[in-house]
Amino acid sequence: MRENEIKLIYSSLYNHYGPQGWWPLLSRDISTKEVKMVNHPLNYDLPKTRNEIYEIILGTILTQNTAWNSAEIALRNLKDLDAINPQNLLDLDSETFKQAIRSAGFLNQKSVYINEVTKFYIGLDDKIPTRKELLEVKGVGNETADSILLYAFKQPEFVVDTYTKRIFSQIDLIDYNDNYNKIKTLFETQLPRDMIIYNEYHALIVAHAKKYYSRKPYGVDDTLLNP
């Protein structure tokens, strides 16, 4: 690998796309009263409230193995039920809860995962969890744990997803079959240990991959990273 290549790619993506304001949060428009999913570029203070943190945690489970748009529909449904609140969600009857998250797929599985991570979150009592603690929660794997730590708790943990593997294997910086922690370590050793950089880098990878790496053959028109 050429020296500083991971850093150079970050700079290229950031200069091309700009700050992403990820993780988006639901917000009610004052004039129309409509609930919208809103990104918050350059505002790294969010999330601020317990329910905002919880909303991100819910999003990390709902988006597992499904498109973000489908997870967003589920979050809106929960918002309408005043259930983006840990105790309120646990108080929902099972059928109402499952109907609310149906759009995210894997209904029975995700309903269990959400209940487990909700109980875990309540038990934290405002503490920041460790990665090890998160990985012990049913339904929380490496990517979900790192997403929760980075976006909900503002901890510098790099998130590796399928898009990361597609892009960086296509440009021969990793092998697609490398395990999660090997890829995570590569990024974390090449970058400053900085929550903002990790936040933006992952979001920029997603933005770029949606344009050039969503369909095979991957990256054929990617002149930014694969000229």
Side-chain angles (χ1 to χ4, degrees), residues 39-59:
N39 289 46
H40 41 90
L42 298 178
N43 183 356
Y44 304 107
D45 292 333
L46 293 172
K48 291 183 177 179
T49 69
R50 277 184 57 79
N51 284 351
E52 286 175 344
I53 293 169
Y54 182 56
E55 180 183 325
I56 292 173
I57 293 171
L58 288 174

Side-chain angles (χ1 to χ4, degrees), residues 118-142:
T118 299
K119 293 172 187 174
F120 173 78
Y121 181 53
I122 290 172
L124 286 175
D125 194 25
D126 293 327
K127 297 193 300 291
I128 295 174
T130 66
R131 193 170 190 271
K132 182 176 182 294
E133 288 171 334
L134 279 166
L135 289 171
E136 290 171 353
V137 179
K138 188 177 181 65
V140 176
N142 285 310

Side-chain angles (χ1 to χ4, degrees), residues 154-179:
K154 306 172 193 170
Q155 300 302 296
E157 297 286 349
F158 195 85
V159 177
V160 176
D161 63 5
T162 298
Y163 285 148
T164 311
K165 296 174 72 174
R166 282 183 192 170
I167 291 175
F168 288 86
S169 62
Q170 188 74 24
I171 59 178
D172 296 323
L173 291 184
I174 64 169
D175 186 299
Y176 187 85
N177 293 316
D178 285 344
N179 69 42

Side-chain angles (χ1 to χ4, degrees), residues 101-120:
I101 66 169
R102 184 172 297 278
S103 63
F106 302 94
L107 191 57
N108 293 326
Q109 186 181 77
K110 287 185 181 179
S111 62
V112 171
Y113 293 173
I114 287 172
N115 272 286
E116 290 300 312
V117 80
T118 299
K119 293 172 187 174
F120 173 78

Side-chain angles (χ1 to χ4, degrees), residues 10-225:
Y10 172 70
S11 296
S12 295
L13 291 172
Y14 191 89
N15 291 336
H16 186 77
Y17 293 102
Q20 296 297 292
W22 198 262
W23 195 282
L25 290 165
L26 291 169
S27 178
R28 190 175 299 278
D29 187 284
I30 295 173
S31 57
T32 66
K33 306 301 182 184
E34 182 184 358
V35 174
K36 298 179 179 180
M37 191 65 75
V38 178
N39 289 46
H40 41 90
L42 298 178
N43 183 356
Y44 304 107
D45 292 333
L46 293 172
K48 291 183 177 179
T49 69
R50 277 184 57 79
N51 284 351
E52 286 175 344
I53 293 169
Y54 182 56
E55 180 183 325
I56 292 173
I57 293 171
L58 288 174
T60 68
I61 301 293
L62 290 167
T63 199
Q64 290 176 357
N65 301 306
T66 195
W68 173 249
N69 289 344
S70 299
E72 182 180 331
I73 292 168
L75 285 169
R76 288 171 183 268
N77 291 340
L78 291 173
K79 180 80 168 178
D80 289 341
L81 294 169
D82 193 27
I84 300 187
N85 170 289
Q87 193 56 57
N88 290 359
L89 184 137
L90 291 179
D91 288 343
L92 290 176
D93 69 81
S94 177
E95 189 53 41
T96 299
F97 173 44
K98 287 184 178 181
Q99 188 59 39
I101 66 169
R102 184 172 297 278
S103 63
F106 302 94
L107 191 57
N108 293 326
Q109 186 181 77
K110 287 185 181 179
S111 62
V112 171
Y113 293 173
I114 287 172
N115 272 286
E116 290 300 312
V117 80
T118 299
K119 293 172 187 174
F120 173 78
Y121 181 53
I122 290 172
L124 286 175
D125 194 25
D126 293 327
K127 297 193 300 291
I128 295 174
T130 66
R131 193 170 190 271
K132 182 176 182 294
E133 288 171 334
L134 279 166
L135 289 171
E136 290 171 353
V137 179
K138 188 177 181 65
V140 176
N142 285 310
E143 182 183 342
T144 300
D146 288 335
S147 296
I148 289 171
L149 288 168
L150 179 61
Y151 290 108
F153 291 101
K154 306 172 193 170
Q155 300 302 296
E157 297 286 349
F158 195 85
V159 177
V160 176
D161 63 5
T162 298
Y163 285 148
T164 311
K165 296 174 72 174
R166 282 183 192 170
I167 291 175
F168 288 86
S169 62
Q170 188 74 24
I171 59 178
D172 296 323
L173 291 184
I174 64 169
D175 186 299
Y176 187 85
N177 293 316
D178 285 344
N179 69 42
Y180 184 99
N181 287 322
K182 181 177 180 180
I183 300 170
K184 174 183 168 71
T185 299
L186 171 67
F187 279 85
E188 292 185 350
T189 54
Q190 293 286 320
L191 296 167
R193 192 164 179 77
D194 186 300
M195 178 274 291
I196 292 173
I197 291 175
Y198 290 3
N199 177 315
E200 292 291 359
Y201 208 156
H202 175 248
L204 289 162
I205 286 169
V206 172
H208 190 65
K210 283 181 176 179
K211 291 187 69 173
Y212 300 111
Y213 294 84
S214 291
R215 297 180 182 86
K216 291 183 177 180
Y218 298 133
V220 290
D221 297 319
D222 181 8
T223 57
L224 184 65
L225 302 185

